[in-house]
Amino acid sequence: MLAVSLAMVLFFVCPVLSQESIPNQLADSRIAAALKDISSARIQATIEKLVGFGTRSTLSAQDPTSISAGRGIGAAREWIKSEFERYSKDCGGCLEVKTDSFTQSPADRIPQPTEITNVYAVLKGSGSESAQRIVLVTGHYDSRNSDNFNIKDDAPGANDDASGTAVSLECARVLSRLRFPATIVFLTVAGEEQGLNGSAHFAQMAKEQGWRLEAVLNNDIVGGNRDPEQDSGVVRVFSEGVPIAADEKQLRQIRNLGGESDSPSREVARYVAETARTYQPGVKPLLIFRLDRYLRGGDHYSFNQQGFAAVRFTEYREDYNHQHQNVRTEGGIEYGDVPKYVDFDYVAAVARLNAATLATLASAPAPPDNVRLDAAKLENDSNLRWDAAHGATAYEVVWRATSSPEWEHARNVGNATHVTMPLSKDNAIFGVRAVDDVGYRSLPVVPTPQR
């Protein structure tokens, strides 16, 4: 009798006793159809067009004569803008095409005041509240050769980073035919090779304007170069652990809680992996738990600096003979970042992974706010509370061992805003995510302690 009574008490206090595996993200037939429309042939045409501008160095020509002649970064910029405008015309004006231009002061790799222009398109969300939520994909359209200041010789930049620009453009083309509750921004930036100048300006603008930017997907060097040691079935996804924007109080809390692997950026990376398991885009994300490649950087860092969640996609194995090199042959070795070393099918697979992630995030409800874990007293149960999220009809508690890289278990707790877990907070890391009536899931939010 005592055992029965105890079981009943536990059932009503905590309906999360069983440990269920993490469910896949919802498979939406509309999204699946859009992914099938992503074309390696179109991506090849985009990359070859960008290479055809000769050089896209941020320091190269932007005057009307050069633009008319089709050489330099100015000509590339105008073509990208025209592509976004063409996609918008095809979808009845659904995309708002914009530019973000500014003059960069002289710096180490910028010898004189230089105009830098980011080009982007906005697919506005369908709901008045949900449209305030934004997800973004980006790649940099500038390029360089062996010498940052050499604007005379070609800098084809097929892989670095016409490939990432092609991902942004192709995502815009196929996703603009659909409508989503949240807003999607398709961005291409310049000034990356000079010091992340374009993305830094754009991220600061987003911060100053109060954008509710939930996820940034940066694609840089996603050409899957045709090196025999390349793994064309894998794309690396880098994410910061300890947020660069964290203040001293937040850093102390991260250290005290062991939260070094639960930044918002890391949750985006895990979401990418979940989405890949649902849609099988043709490439598997390999989660790399560091900000970027060893002692290197990219445009996602600009967004991290402003406190936004951002990750980087990069091919499994880079070939440095075909990166930041003048086009030439020396000692029987071909140098230069030219299209023949790009695997266009691989770029298409990476584009499908990006598009699936963008579409799933933009379809999902908002993540829950103010997620707390009760730490007022010592107890073996874990009491979680959160504020209701717009668009949610239920919530899932996810958890994993402290040593595990990805979420291992989940439990739907219904349309509640608190739950008691019969599991010690000492031994697990918890998160809470919102679920809508269709089955879309938000990004998980890791709780903060509440005393």
Side-chain angles (χ1 to χ4, degrees), residues 71-335:
R71 183 173 178 85
I73 196 166
R77 175 193 69 213
E78 294 304 310
W79 179 78
I80 291 168
K81 184 170 179 285
S82 72
E83 284 296 281
F84 280 139
E85 290 170 341
R86 182 166 66 86
Y87 303 157
S88 185
K89 182 179 179 181
D90 290 344
C91 65
C94 70
L95 292 174
E96 186 176 0
V97 180
K98 297 184 175 185
T99 57
D100 165 41
S101 295
F102 63 100
T103 300
Q104 179 65 51
S105 301
D108 287 347
R109 284 179 270 179
I110 297 182
Q112 60 189 19
T114 299
E115 182 183 8
I116 294 178
T117 301
N118 304 315
V119 186
Y120 63 108
V122 180
L123 181 62
K124 192 74 173 177
S126 59
S128 58
E129 171 66 21
S130 59
Q132 302 305 310
R133 298 172 44 236
I134 302 170
V135 293
L136 180 151
V137 62
T138 186
H140 71 87
Y141 70 93
D142 62 307
S143 65
R144 61 161 291 175
N145 52 35
S146 300
D147 180 357
N148 171 74
F149 301 103
N150 179 352
I151 60 175
K152 177 183 177 182
D153 295 324
D154 284 351
N159 194 354
D160 184 15
D161 186 34
S163 64
T165 302
V167 168
S168 282
L169 286 167
E170 191 69 355
C171 285
R173 186 182 71 83
V174 300
L175 294 184
S176 60
R177 300 169 182 173
L178 306 177
R179 295 296 173 269
F180 303 96
T183 295
I184 304 178
V185 173
F186 309 95
L187 173 64
T188 64
V189 299
E192 194 271 352
E193 301 290 6
Q194 282 63 46
L196 315 182
N197 304 94
S199 59
H201 188 270
F202 194 93
Q204 184 177 358
M205 176 192 72
K207 183 71 170 181
E208 291 173 350
Q209 294 182 3
W211 285 22
R212 289 171 56 186
L213 186 52
E214 292 183 1
V216 173
L217 311 181
N218 174 37
N219 292 267
D220 194 350
I221 312 178
V222 291
N225 83 87
R226 298 178 181 276
D227 187 295
E229 297 181 68
Q230 183 67 267
D231 187 342
S232 61
V234 169
V235 62
R236 293 180 289 174
V237 180
F238 293 87
S239 60
E240 67 173 1
V242 177
I244 187 65
D247 59 29
E248 187 55 39
K249 180 181 178 181
Q250 292 168 325
L251 290 173
R252 284 197 303 272
Q253 180 170 287
I254 290 169
R255 286 193 292 265
N256 290 338
L257 301 179
E260 295 88 352
S261 193
D262 281 286
S263 67
S265 297
R266 192 128 308 161
E267 303 309 340
V268 171
R270 293 181 175 116
Y271 200 96
V272 171
E274 282 189 22
T275 304
R277 288 193 285 270
T278 295
Y279 287 102
Q280 300 293 316
V283 67
K284 181 179 179 180
L286 174 63
L287 304 190
I288 305 293
F289 284 2
R290 58 171 31 130
L291 170 65
D292 206 320
R293 300 145 305 154
Y294 204 75
L295 297 179
R296 299 166 73 190
D299 288 314
H300 59 302
Y301 180 64
S302 296
F303 292 92
N304 290 153
Q305 287 179 303
Q306 298 298 332
F308 296 121
V311 301
R312 175 187 180 130
F313 294 75
T314 297
E315 65 192 18
Y316 179 72
R317 188 178 192 276
E318 296 174 68
D319 187 336
Y320 305 111
N321 291 338
H322 305 140
Q323 190 180 121
H324 295 186
Q325 296 282 353
N326 282 6
V327 180
R328 67 195 191 281
T329 300
E330 288 183 1
I333 299 174
E334 293 185 71
Y335 295 88

Side-chain angles (χ1 to χ4, degrees), residues 393-406:
T393 58
Y395 299 89
E396 281 182 350
V397 175
V398 295
W399 69 99
R400 69 181 199 274
T402 60
S403 58
S404 297
E406 294 192 53

Side-chain angles (χ1 to χ4, degrees), residues 1-13 17:
M1 180 65 180
L2 178 60
V4 172
S5 299
L6 180 59
M8 292 178 65
V9 170
L10 286 173
F11 176 80
F12 287 110
V13 172
L17 296 177

